[in-house]
Amino acid sequence: MSSAPPQAAFDAQPDAAAGEDPLAADAAALAAAAGPPARHAHKFGGSSLADPDRYRVAVGLLDDGARERIAVVSAMQGVTDALVAIVDARLSGQDWKPAWSTLRKRHLDTALSLDPHRRHGALGALETEFVQLRDALESLHSRDEKTPQAIAGLGEVWSSYLIHAALGGDPAGWARLDAREVLVVHPSEMGMAVDWAQSRENLATWRKRNAAANVVVTGFVARDGHGYATTLGRNGSDYSAAIFANLFDADALTIWTDVDGVLSADPRLVPDAVCLPSMSYAEACELAYFGAKVLHPQTMAPVQQRGIPLRIRNTRNPHSPGTLISLRAQPGQAPVKGLSLVHDLAVLELVGNGLVGVPGAAERLFGALRAAGVSVTMISQGSSEHSICCVVRAAEAERGRDAIVAAFAEAMADGQAQHVQVTPDVCVLAAVGDGMVGQPGVAAQLFDGLAKARVNLRAIAQGAGERNISVAIAARDATRALRAAHSAFWLSPQCISIGVIGPGKVGRALLAQLAAAQPRFQRESRPQRRLDLRLRALADSRRMRLAPRALDFDDAQALDAESEALDLERFAAHVRAEHIPHALIVDCSGSDAVAARYPEWLAAGIHVVTPSKHAGAGPLARFEAIREAARHGGQFRYEATVGAGLPVIQTLRSLLDTGDELTEVEGILSGTLAWLFNRYDGRTPFSHLVREAHELGYTEPDPRDDLSGTDVARKLVILAREAGRPLSLEQIEVESLVPESLRNVSKDEFFARLDELDAPLQQRFDAARAAGLSLRYLARLDRDGRASVGVVTPQPGHAALHGALTDNLIQFRTRRYADNPLVVQGPGAGPDVTAAGVFGDLLTIAQTLGARA
């Protein structure tokens, strides 16, 4: 035996790929000093022994340099299920012989492939085994006999013959141990328990007859105290491996399977689940209990008892170091190592005013459940003692309810207990990690992540060991909750389902910006800064496209033949996917009908971002409904409605939130009008500038939409409402630059008669120049609440006179900024800067959800 400690000996495996993770690097450093493990136990699952080629791979993996090797094997993939089906067919009177023949041929063919010269006896042994199976089936008449259970374990026996032959058999130094000769077990409340003393004695006797250094062992099977063949339960080969690693005093145990190791969550539900490089025994036990599929719940005890390190590895990816499970794990970046779901549960709750301060109430409840054979998964009781609730298997809920009602019948008759309630369709989400111990804020981080995903918690439990927090939730929220919790601890990118309405200029610019940014978000080395933004829906005024997973940002610029008729209700339901924790709709449409949906979407937990002014400046009642829905539901962000990409609303909000008081707002709120009046010098007719602006794309398709001043007025309404003033569009005095005679004519006629704008403005320009002033189109909200939009002549030194081209300029005068107003200035028009403002709002929401983008 090596004098190296078990941990060092195990880490020294040559397959541990130095440099792939810190544990592997440590292993490489220890290899020279420790050498290979002296006695190394391996276990191969059914997927690792599916056909002759997989057996050959297993043989290669066993050539690991250890002086003594123990190979514990499962049945070939699918064999145990086939044996159970054959027994069922025999007992139900169906023809079972074709299935028996198929199994026989599969094993004999594999034996010939692995031992073509028939040197190691596998073929003859299997022929005898199948004859014995046939005879046993023909004499089988009842499930009460021991035979059905014995038959279920034959696949492991057959598999042991196959790998023994593939390894070269006895001449190559490999003995074959039928576990039924050694392992003695008995049933217990926790499953099959080992009679360690008898099993050790049996093994010592067996080893006196078999001096080979290396041993192939049948997994899954054993004998009971009466000498009858039995099994350890489904997936019991892992348990067998741990037992024989203990019995053989192994330095290490490797369980070979078809995944790279223990994952942080079920990859079918969380595609971004990561392989954990290391775990402690305690962490592995918690995850095994809560359904981690790689581990059997009883596997930990035998290896933990002797401090044997266990590694989970992948036969199809043997260069991956897998997951090391030992006494102490490498600390992770997050306090939580893994998350798991237990399905098909129900909540049982006993409620009663008379339970407060009564000793023994909980004992009576759990005693009743035990007597009824009801297993309790989770317990929760408030300090008020008004109620006791527990989580049980759904199939046992009614039986548990009846048992509690019977146990508390007298208390209910006296009014001390009110009722026993069953809540069906429940899951338990468990967060597990040694890093949670003594770490403040872990529960808050979990609950905050679930709350932001709008997952309600039915019950909460945490053991004093602090390695596990369990919450009972509605089954319909299970996947969303798991993904939200996984993201909350930065185990995967923060995932947001996005729908975009209105792929016009701003919408297309936004999609281009998202496409450019997404690779950066996904390759971010710091987990807390990763974002997974999934464009799952796109719509215009008539059509929409819905993607099961995601549309490509680059290919989603327009709706194509795959699109369907627009249905806003279906659109929103698709974006609000149950399997994605967060949903967000970006409305670039400018549609009043779409804006009318905001309260409904927000109330459903869908975040809304928009550059459209229809919500912020529309009917006051609707705006208040949006605000109310956002208080309790999704977030509503609309920074781009006023200054495109400028932080106008953000600045105003910051002033007010810090206790300042707004007295006056004044500024240039239209990039189009800013450009026109910055260029207007009295020499070039105003109509010529309008035509030039239209050709440059600075105006709306119909310039009257800019020249009317209505758009500026809407922005002023938004700012006023943000400041708490219930202003409506009708209350603003708006000066239109479009003469009355041109307001209702066609667009073509408007352009033909555009020079009718020139004389009135020339006259005002000349008057202003005579007074040493200039013209600007300003919006103004004064301290008395009066609001106006129109052409004014600012005094020299006014900030509005120093803007450039399309600059927006907003001047806030407050109690703090009374004499020298706070000015926000910059480009306030154009699809790119507007889209940037929308993108900024989206990222702000992502940050509140836990991302650090």
Side-chain angles (χ1 to χ4, degrees):
M1 292 286 290
S2 168
S3 60
Q7 182 80 40
F10 187 76
D11 277 349
Q13 292 181 94
D15 283 340
E20 291 193 33
D21 65 67
L23 287 172
D26 291 344
L30 288 167
R39 189 175 290 144
H40 191 170
H42 297 258
K43 181 264 176 177
F44 294 94
S47 61
S48 300
L49 303 172
D51 54 46
D53 288 339
R54 301 315 304 166
Y55 276 92
R56 293 185 184 99
V57 169
V59 167
L61 295 172
L62 285 167
D63 186 15
D64 62 356
R67 290 194 290 276
E68 297 181 31
R69 289 160 289 172
I70 303 98
V72 181
V73 294
S74 295
M76 293 179 77
Q77 190 170 41
V79 168
T80 302
D81 287 338
L83 286 168
V84 171
I86 287 172
V87 170
D88 289 343
R90 172 68 182 91
L91 292 174
S92 62
Q94 299 174 22
D95 187 4
W96 51 269
K97 291 183 179 178
W100 172 87
S101 297
T102 299
L103 271 185
R104 176 180 177 275
K105 184 178 187 305
R106 180 182 178 190
H107 283 81
L108 296 183
D109 287 349
T110 302
L112 283 171
S113 176
L114 296 174
D115 185 16
H117 302 294
R118 307 186 184 191
R119 292 173 179 168
H120 307 302
L123 193 68
L126 288 169
E127 287 276 22
T128 301
E129 286 281 340
F130 274 93
V131 169
Q132 293 173 348
L133 171 60
R134 183 190 61 202
D135 294 344
L137 287 166
E138 287 177 341
S139 62
L140 181 63
H141 300 290
S142 169
R143 290 189 185 278
D144 295 333
E145 302 173 22
K146 297 287 186 180
T147 305
Q149 192 169 24
I151 289 174
L154 291 178
E156 278 71 15
V157 176
W158 304 337
S159 185
S160 69
Y161 284 115
L162 293 171
I163 198 164
H164 182 254
L167 286 162
D170 295 340
W174 282 91
R176 194 189 73 86
L177 168 60
D178 188 329
R180 295 172 297 185
E181 297 180 47
V182 169
L183 184 57
V184 180
V185 299
H186 60 270
S188 72
E189 291 183 353
M190 303 300 291
M192 285 294 185
V194 178
D195 184 335
W196 289 102
Q198 186 62 57
S199 298
R200 286 188 187 281
E201 183 180 332
N202 292 346
L203 180 61
T205 301
W206 182 88
R207 296 200 77 172
K208 288 177 182 177
R209 303 193 308 268
N210 298 273
N214 306 310
V215 184
V216 171
V217 185
T218 57
F220 188 46
V221 294
R223 289 197 185 274
D224 62 21
H226 302 290
Y228 291 107
T230 187
T231 66
L232 300 181
R234 299 304 296 267
N235 298 314
S237 291
D238 284 354
Y239 189 25
S240 295
I243 292 168
F244 279 101
N246 184 310
L247 291 173
F248 276 97
D249 296 322
D251 297 324
L253 168 62
T254 297
I255 292 180
W256 293 95
T257 182
D258 55 3
V259 294
D260 283 343
V262 181
L263 301 181
S264 55
D266 186 338
R268 295 169 299 179
L269 303 179
V270 183
D272 302 302
V274 296
C275 183
L276 303 173
S278 71
M279 301 179 70
S280 69
Y281 293 130
E283 289 173 324
C285 285
E286 292 279 4
L287 277 179
Y289 178 77
F290 281 97
K293 301 301 182 186
V294 176
L295 297 165
H296 187 278
Q298 289 180 289
T299 300
M300 292 300 106
V303 293
Q304 187 173 3
Q305 186 183 76
R306 301 185 69 84
I308 301 169
L310 182 160
R311 195 183 288 270
I312 310 293
R313 297 180 68 187
N314 190 350
T315 55
R316 298 178 185 274
N317 185 19
H319 297 294
S320 171
T323 299
L324 175 65
I325 302 171
S326 56
L327 183 62
R328 293 183 182 84
Q330 173 196 0
Q333 292 180 304
V336 167
K337 279 280 183 71
L339 298 125
S340 190
L341 284 171
V342 184
H343 297 272
D344 300 322
L345 302 174
V347 172
L348 275 177
E349 184 176 20
L350 171 65
V351 178
N353 296 327
L355 299 176
V356 178
V358 177
E363 179 185 7
R364 199 189 326 173
L365 183 146
F366 295 117
L369 293 176
R370 183 182 184 280
V374 176
S375 175
V376 176
T377 298
M378 177 179 150
I379 303 165
S380 180
Q381 181 178 19
S383 58
S384 70
E385 301 182 65
H386 175 71
S387 68
I388 306 172
C389 82
C390 57
V391 180
V392 301
R393 296 186 181 97
E396 300 173 354
E398 288 302 324
R399 187 166 78 246
R401 180 188 178 281
D402 293 343
I404 297 172
V405 168
F408 287 86
E410 184 178 341
M412 288 184 176
D414 295 339
Q416 293 178 320
Q418 275 68 57
H419 63 272
V420 180
Q421 180 175 321
V422 176
T423 304
D425 301 321
V426 167
C427 282
V428 166
L429 170 66
V432 173
D434 286 344
M436 299 163 64
V437 179
Q439 180 68 37
V442 177
Q445 197 169 349
L446 173 63
F447 300 155
D448 184 56
L450 295 176
K452 286 170 179 172
R454 295 179 63 78
V455 175
N456 184 51
L457 308 184
R458 186 68 180 79
I460 303 166
Q462 180 177 20
E466 297 186 77
R467 287 185 176 86
N468 179 311
I469 301 175
S470 299
V471 294
I473 58 176
R476 65 178 179 275
D477 295 331
T479 302
R480 190 167 76 256
L482 181 63
R483 290 192 173 193
H486 205 264
S487 298
F489 291 105
W490 305 322
L491 297 171
S492 64
Q494 193 65 254
C495 184
I496 303 176
S497 173
I498 298 174
V500 174
I501 302 175
K505 290 181 180 179
V506 173
R508 288 196 298 273
L510 173 65
L511 293 174
Q513 291 175 14
L514 287 168
Q518 184 76 325
R520 173 170 55 86
F521 292 147
Q522 292 179 337
R523 67 172 178 263
E524 176 61 58
S525 60
R526 290 161 291 182
Q528 64 268 32
R529 296 181 67 91
R530 292 183 196 141
L531 264 178
D532 182 3
L533 304 177
R534 296 190 190 175
L535 177 65
R536 301 187 65 249
L538 182 70
D540 61 17
S541 61
R542 295 176 296 107
R543 309 289 293 173
M544 67 180 184
R545 282 178 63 192
L546 308 179
R549 189 180 188 280
L551 297 168
D552 188 281
F553 287 113
D554 290 321
D555 297 335
Q557 299 285 341
L559 296 166
D560 55 20
E562 299 177 21
S563 61
E564 57 187 281
L566 176 63
D567 180 340
L568 286 175
E569 186 171 339
R570 208 168 142 246
F571 181 93
H574 182 79
V575 174
R576 183 75 173 92
E578 288 301 320
H579 65 282
I580 298 180
H582 309 295
L584 185 148
I585 291 177
V586 179
D587 174 24
C588 299
S589 69
S591 165
D592 195 66
V594 173
R597 298 275 184 152
Y598 292 0
E600 169 191 334
W601 294 343
L602 293 165
I606 302 173
H607 309 293
V608 177
V609 175
T610 184
S612 169
K613 291 169 277 294
H614 283 276
L620 184 59
R622 185 173 69 193
F623 176 76
E624 291 173 346
I626 290 171
R627 279 289 182 85
E628 182 61 27
R631 286 190 185 95
H632 307 289
Q635 299 180 52
F636 178 49
R637 304 283 303 184
Y638 49 102
E639 181 68 73
T641 58
V642 175
L646 297 178
V648 179
I649 294 174
Q650 176 184 330
T651 300
L652 176 56
R653 190 73 263 154
S654 178
L655 292 171
L656 299 175
D657 288 347
T658 57
D660 206 348
E661 297 175 14
L662 182 70
T663 56
E664 184 180 284
V665 177
E666 193 174 42
I668 297 172
L669 300 180
S670 166
T672 303
L673 293 170
W675 188 88
L676 289 171
F677 282 96
N678 280 326
R679 293 286 308 279
Y680 187 43
D681 59 4
R683 295 192 296 271
T684 301
F686 193 77
S687 59
H688 289 198
L689 294 176
V690 171
R691 286 193 175 89
E692 184 179 350
H694 183 263
E695 290 168 2
L696 292 171
Y698 291 161
T699 73
E700 294 294 328
D702 188 336
R704 285 174 291 187
D705 293 339
D706 300 293
L707 299 173
S708 69
T710 303
D711 186 65
V712 175
R714 289 194 180 103
K715 295 178 181 180
L716 190 60
V717 168
I718 292 169
L719 290 175
R721 290 177 177 178
E722 192 66 33
R725 302 184 186 184
L727 191 67
S728 293
L729 193 61
E730 307 81 51
Q731 297 173 275
I732 299 180
E733 182 183 336
V734 180
E735 177 185 0
S736 175
L737 298 181
V738 182
E740 184 72 33
S741 59
L742 297 181
R743 290 177 188 174
N744 297 315
V745 301
S746 69
K747 185 169 72 172
D748 290 341
E749 185 177 349
F750 169 74
F751 273 108
R753 297 168 57 188
L754 196 57
D755 56 1
E756 293 180 23
L757 275 65
D758 294 336
L761 277 169
Q762 185 69 48
Q763 184 178 3
R764 295 180 69 172
F765 177 85
D766 292 341
R769 184 168 57 180
L773 302 173
S774 300
L775 298 180
R776 292 293 184 272
Y777 195 93
L778 296 186
R780 188 166 188 269
L781 176 67
D782 66 21
R783 65 180 62 244
D784 296 322
R786 289 189 297 268
S788 61
V789 169
V791 178
V792 298
T793 52
Q795 294 299 309
H798 193 286
L801 299 174
H802 305 293
L805 297 179
T806 61
D807 274 5
N808 275 15
L809 186 147
I810 299 90
Q811 179 175 277
F812 295 114
R813 210 174 281 276
T814 69
R815 177 169 50 81
R816 294 178 190 150
Y817 294 90
D819 300 324
N820 188 14
L822 175 63
V823 176
V824 178
Q825 180 178 348
D832 288 334
V833 292
T834 302
V838 174
F839 197 175
D841 277 348
L842 192 158
L843 293 181
T844 297
I845 290 175
Q847 289 169 4
T848 67
L849 299 177
R852 299 291 184 267

